[in-house]
Amino acid sequence: MIEVRVPLPGDRSYPVVVGRGCVDRLADGLAAELPRAKRAAVVTQAGVGVAVDPGIEHRVFEVPDGEAAKALSTIEDLCRGFASWGLTRGDVVVGVGGGVVTDVAGFAAASYHRGVPVVHVATTLLAQVDAAIGGKTGVNLPEGKNLVGAFWQPSLVLCDTATLDTLPEREMRCGLGEVAKYHFLGGPDGDGVALDDLDFDARVARCVEIKAEVVAADEREAGRRAVLNYGHTLGHAIETTGRYDLRHGEAVAVGLVYAAELGLALGRIDGDRVAEHRRVVAGYGLPGRLPDGADPDGLMAVMARDKKALDGLTFALDGPAGVEVVAGVDADVVRSTLEAVR
Ligand code: GLY
């Protein structure tokens, strides 16, 4: 097992445990991190199929399968369920699942009684390297995704990599796009080993460590945390504009190659670094080109209204000082660079 700490001010730092079978550490982890908790509300989806033993009195609250669960009505249902059971602020919510579960369990925990501790058991690669780490929680509105939510850090995260054995291939690809992203956000680990050379569990743990460093530096996304959006500006635009048969991680992969090409066009990186992006993305079996029929006008329109954009077209871009957020990128360059990923 590998333990990574997310270092936060005050007493809010928390451990993330990565390894096969670490779900069995839930009871001990709860006893160590939240010794006062007497009850655990386990929030999961039927499709997750991972049983947990919190070691204290618990009740399972199932939310609907799929992204449909990310609705305010789910938060109301959960909180009403917690209230009728008698969950208190001294107890704990345990989210067991992928990013949808960590988002709704985290938001219900942040809201119920104005804040109950939450622990995540992350069962998808995407949740293990991204969604479960860093305290972003929230739900969608008909007007857009993740428009309502809260920053609510967990007290413990368990990333049981054995749960990935049965994860559908396409769900794996969702997470691999994020793993590819971390190749460009962090250098070698403390022993000087590059992400490429780590075995699977160590690679997941290193991704967590890179994310933890970014979150610790900018917990509420005042600036630097937006580098975690590397590859996502075009990625989100691809997801928003088309009915393409692309998973989130696949769209992010195209977005990573595009961001590298944009960095080259702006003179921030050289061709070797772009080739490295293409090699990493291809190495995970992910696409580096736009899907057939992608419409540049539509992509431009969505990128221009990216909710992270503060001043014109805004991208996380690689450069001599690593990945940084760059605002006010020239629209002509943004548009012409789309040709490099066609
Ligand atoms: N998923 C991006 C973040 O946690 O900031």
Side-chain angles (χ1 to χ4, degrees):
M1 299 290 163
I2 307 171
E3 185 175 312
V4 176
R5 275 200 94 75
V6 180
L8 293 171
D11 59 358
R12 294 180 308 120
S13 297
Y14 56 93
V16 180
V17 182
V18 180
R20 297 186 68 81
C22 71
V23 69
D24 294 342
R25 298 198 170 187
L26 180 61
D28 286 350
L30 284 177
E33 300 300 324
L34 299 164
R36 289 189 317 121
K38 292 193 170 47
R39 288 172 162 196
V42 177
V43 177
T44 191
Q45 292 173 306
V48 171
V50 174
V52 295
D53 176 11
I56 50 179
E57 185 187 349
H58 59 282
R59 191 175 279 194
V60 175
F61 295 84
E62 258 182 28
V63 300
D65 273 325
E67 180 86 7
K70 281 189 52 166
L72 279 169
S73 57
T74 304
I75 304 305
E76 180 176 1
D77 289 346
L78 283 173
C79 291
R80 292 185 64 182
F82 299 165
S84 42
W85 186 36
L87 197 76
T88 73
R89 201 186 278 167
D91 294 323
V92 59
V93 173
V94 179
V96 182
V100 168
V101 168
T102 60
D103 274 358
V104 298
F107 189 32
S111 314
Y112 181 73
H113 282 207
R114 299 192 178 86
V116 183
V118 67
V119 163
H120 296 308
V121 177
T123 64
T124 66
L125 183 59
L126 182 69
Q128 294 181 356
V129 299
D130 187 30
I133 316 297
K136 276 194 182 173
T137 74
V139 297
N140 304 329
L141 293 178
E143 287 75 12
K145 288 182 71 161
N146 295 323
L147 291 186
V148 182
F151 287 98
W152 191 245
Q153 298 291 345
S155 301
L156 164 72
V157 181
L158 301 177
C159 300
D160 188 339
T161 47
T163 62
L164 308 181
D165 293 350
T166 51
L167 196 67
E169 165 73 18
R170 301 214 67 194
E171 286 298 324
M172 255 333 248
R173 289 166 74 78
C174 270
L176 288 175
E178 300 294 338
V179 174
K181 173 188 81 177
Y182 288 112
H183 280 255
F184 307 103
L185 294 187
D189 70 6
D191 298 324
V193 184
L195 210 51
D196 268 336
D197 297 323
L198 295 171
D199 68 26
F200 186 79
D201 284 6
R203 197 176 293 207
V204 170
R206 178 65 186 140
C207 292
V208 170
E209 198 170 61
I210 295 168
K211 178 155 187 182
E213 283 162 12
V214 174
V215 168
D218 177 21
E219 188 183 350
R220 290 180 163 254
E221 203 166 59
R224 175 153 173 75
R225 184 165 176 162
V227 300
L228 295 170
N229 208 34
Y230 192 44
H232 285 59
T233 306
L234 180 63
H236 282 150
I238 295 169
E239 291 180 284
T240 306
T241 52
R243 300 266 174 270
Y244 312 111
D245 190 26
L246 276 193
R247 305 295 299 188
H248 173 71
E250 296 168 327
V252 167
V254 179
L256 288 170
V257 173
Y258 172 76
E261 292 284 0
L262 192 53
L264 176 69
L266 295 169
R268 297 174 57 86
I269 59 172
D270 61 18
D272 287 351
R273 186 71 168 161
V274 177
E276 194 181 341
H277 281 70
R278 291 191 181 273
R279 177 188 64 75
V280 166
V281 162
Y284 287 111
L286 296 168
R289 316 185 77 82
L290 289 168
D292 288 344
D295 164 32
D297 291 336
L299 294 171
M300 287 297 294
V302 176
M303 288 194 287
R305 56 171 198 265
D306 187 298
K307 76 173 184 291
K308 294 183 196 252
L310 301 175
D311 177 16
L313 283 155
T314 301
F315 289 85
L317 291 174
D318 200 2
V323 175
E324 298 171 307
V325 178
V326 180
V329 181
D330 187 310
D332 290 339
V333 181
V334 171
R335 190 182 174 107
S336 61
T337 303
L338 286 171
E339 290 307 315
V341 288
R342 290 254 274 188

